[in-house]
Amino acid sequence: MTHFSERVEQVSISGIREVFEAAGEDAINLGLGQPDFSAPTHAREAAADAIREGRADGYTENKGLNSLREAIADKHARDQGVDVDPSDVIATAGGSEALHIALEAHVDAGDEVVIPDPGFVSYDALTRLTGGTPVPVPLRDDLTIDPDAIEAAITDDTAAFVVNSPGNPTGAVSPPEDVREFARIADEHDVLCISDEVYEYTVFDGEFRSPLEFADSDNVVVVNSASKLYSMTGWRLGWVVSSTRRIERMLRVHQYAQACAAAPSQFAAEAALTGPQDQVDEMTESFERRRDIVVDGLTDIGLDVPTPGGAFYCMPEIPEGFVDECLDRGVIVVPGEAFGEHGRGYARLSYATDEESLHEALDIMGEAYDAVTR
């Protein structure tokens, strides 16, 4: 008799998707986690040239084009001042596959993985698919990840912990002293730190730092992606960076699950990394402007919302019934519990939509707030 694996039965369709399906076709979507910019022109042209010239028809190396991996290594040297050997990079099918192979290569059945709660939905699900046990830890009141909470959750069964700055769903940016602590914890406890850095370039307040800068051991795996850095979510091109021995193990998973990332996407990502970076600044300035519109608007409504330092999300505290009332009135917001039990009582809003729609959504959310609090 056929049956389904216990691992997959522990995982359900994302609560974010359920909200989308419950909304009307004309709803203003503040739930979508992708930039509303086109990919850089030079990236699209590089892919088109490669396709026209027949350079994108075959497999690449399992790790990806050497020229792409060199561009990724140069990016880390430029942005973090760290030396990365291009052979210690794997190009993946988006940041999602990068997270997947990092966990698959390091987590055994019964191992624990400490994750932020609320946190990106894949951390819990991908841990369960490895046979591991997710261990959620609550965030601080300002929604940053607390190194003390991470360290207190580590046991003899802990294989890894995940950090994410700027954060999804919170938009919180970890200060440098916390990032240094993440590296220390990985070193001193001999556990793996998986650093999800896909929103690295979208920082308004504070500064982005990576545990890779501070670690004395090789107990850090960096996950990144062209998706949010360059508005290339549909191109599905991410990467992992770590030590040679860790890359070799992750490559074993990647080789059999994926073979290689799509060749056209690799050419596009290489061009994005090596070409003009003007769009990065344009996106960041635009998202900061929209962040201010949304935070000021939510505050005027009467909601308490920590000001996000990056990404394009905010997470206000909300009264009971607020999410459903917004949905009924045509605005999609995602309930905080979709990102973990400690997200209950919050909602995630994405402000990666046009300013006119944001103002309209704020007016509707004000009506929704009045309806559930009067």
Side-chain angles (χ1 to χ4, degrees):
M1 177 195 276
T2 63
H3 68 283
F4 298 106
S5 71
E6 291 183 10
R7 297 187 310 282
V8 81
E9 290 296 81
Q10 293 184 62
V11 177
S12 58
I13 298 298
S14 165
I16 303 172
R17 183 59 51 191
E18 292 176 357
V19 172
F20 289 175
E21 292 175 354
E25 291 183 5
D26 297 329
I28 300 173
N29 193 344
L30 302 187
L32 195 60
Q34 70 174 4
D36 60 338
F37 288 79
S38 297
T41 300
H42 54 279
R44 287 180 279 145
E45 289 177 347
D49 288 345
I51 292 169
R52 279 191 294 265
E53 296 165 9
R55 293 181 287 122
D57 292 340
Y59 294 119
T60 70
E61 294 179 49
N62 291 135
K63 289 182 180 179
L65 296 166
N66 189 63
S67 55
L68 168 60
R69 289 183 284 114
E70 287 177 344
I72 293 168
D74 289 345
K75 175 232 169 297
H76 283 283
R78 180 176 69 242
D79 294 339
Q80 281 83 49
V82 296
D83 292 327
V84 173
D85 190 315
S87 64
D88 291 335
V89 177
I90 302 173
T92 60
S96 297
E97 193 217 345
L99 281 169
H100 178 60
I101 66 173
L103 288 164
E104 284 285 359
H106 293 93
V107 179
D108 276 324
D111 283 351
E112 295 177 348
V113 178
V114 179
I115 61 173
D117 182 356
F120 180 44
V121 293
S122 290
Y123 303 151
D124 182 286
L126 290 177
T127 296
R128 293 180 188 276
L129 289 174
T130 68
T133 302
V135 178
V137 295
L139 307 178
R140 296 186 178 115
D141 290 342
D142 66 358
L143 303 183
T144 55
I145 299 172
D146 185 355
D148 290 340
I150 295 284
E151 191 164 26
I154 290 174
T155 71
D156 291 341
D157 293 324
T158 305
F161 64 94
V162 181
V163 295
N164 175 214
S165 172
N168 176 10
T170 64
V173 176
S174 293
E177 58 269 24
D178 285 354
V179 179
R180 188 183 294 274
E181 279 294 282
F182 298 147
R184 179 194 63 77
I185 292 166
D187 289 339
E188 291 187 5
H189 292 271
D190 195 23
V191 297
L192 187 69
C193 172
I194 299 175
S195 182
D196 180 354
E197 303 180 358
V198 300
Y199 296 95
E200 171 188 351
Y201 285 166
T202 312
V203 175
F204 322 128
D205 304 321
E207 60 178 319
F208 172 81
R209 302 299 292 271
S210 171
L212 196 63
E213 301 172 50
F214 303 113
D216 293 326
S217 70
D218 74 340
N219 290 350
V220 174
V221 170
V222 166
V223 167
N224 213 324
S225 170
S227 292
K228 309 301 167 66
L229 301 187
Y230 296 107
S231 193
M232 295 174 65
T233 54
W235 292 83
R236 309 312 304 139
L237 196 291
W239 59 86
V240 284
V241 170
S242 195
S243 65
T244 300
R245 67 180 184 129
R246 297 193 187 282
I247 288 292
E248 198 276 332
R249 270 69 174 187
M250 288 185 278
L251 184 62
R252 298 178 194 179
V253 183
H254 172 73
Q255 174 184 346
Y256 291 110
Q258 187 68 29
C260 64
S265 300
Q266 293 190 49
F267 286 107
E270 179 185 342
L273 287 160
T274 59
Q277 301 295 298
D278 305 24
Q279 181 167 313
V280 173
D281 295 334
E282 179 187 351
M283 289 168 58
T284 301
E285 291 169 6
S286 176
F287 287 137
E288 182 174 13
R289 186 169 61 248
R290 288 183 257 183
R291 186 271 313 259
D292 293 342
I293 290 170
V294 169
V295 170
D296 290 347
L298 292 174
T299 302
D300 290 344
I301 288 170
L303 294 170
D304 183 15
V305 51
T307 300
F312 38 76
Y313 308 109
C314 64
M315 208 166 191
E317 293 188 56
I318 57 168
E320 187 175 352
F322 178 77
V323 169
D324 288 340
E325 194 69 34
C326 287
L327 282 173
D328 289 344
R329 294 168 182 267
V331 174
I332 300 174
V333 298
V334 182
E337 58 266 31
F339 305 94
E341 188 57 34
H342 291 288
R344 191 171 298 278
Y346 291 82
R348 188 192 78 171
L349 283 66
S350 167
Y351 43 87
T353 190
D354 65 274
E355 294 182 19
E356 181 180 352
S357 294
L358 290 176
H359 285 293
E360 182 180 353
L362 286 165
D363 289 340
I364 294 170
M365 286 189 285
E367 295 171 1
Y369 177 81
D370 290 342
V372 297
T373 57
R374 64 174 174 240

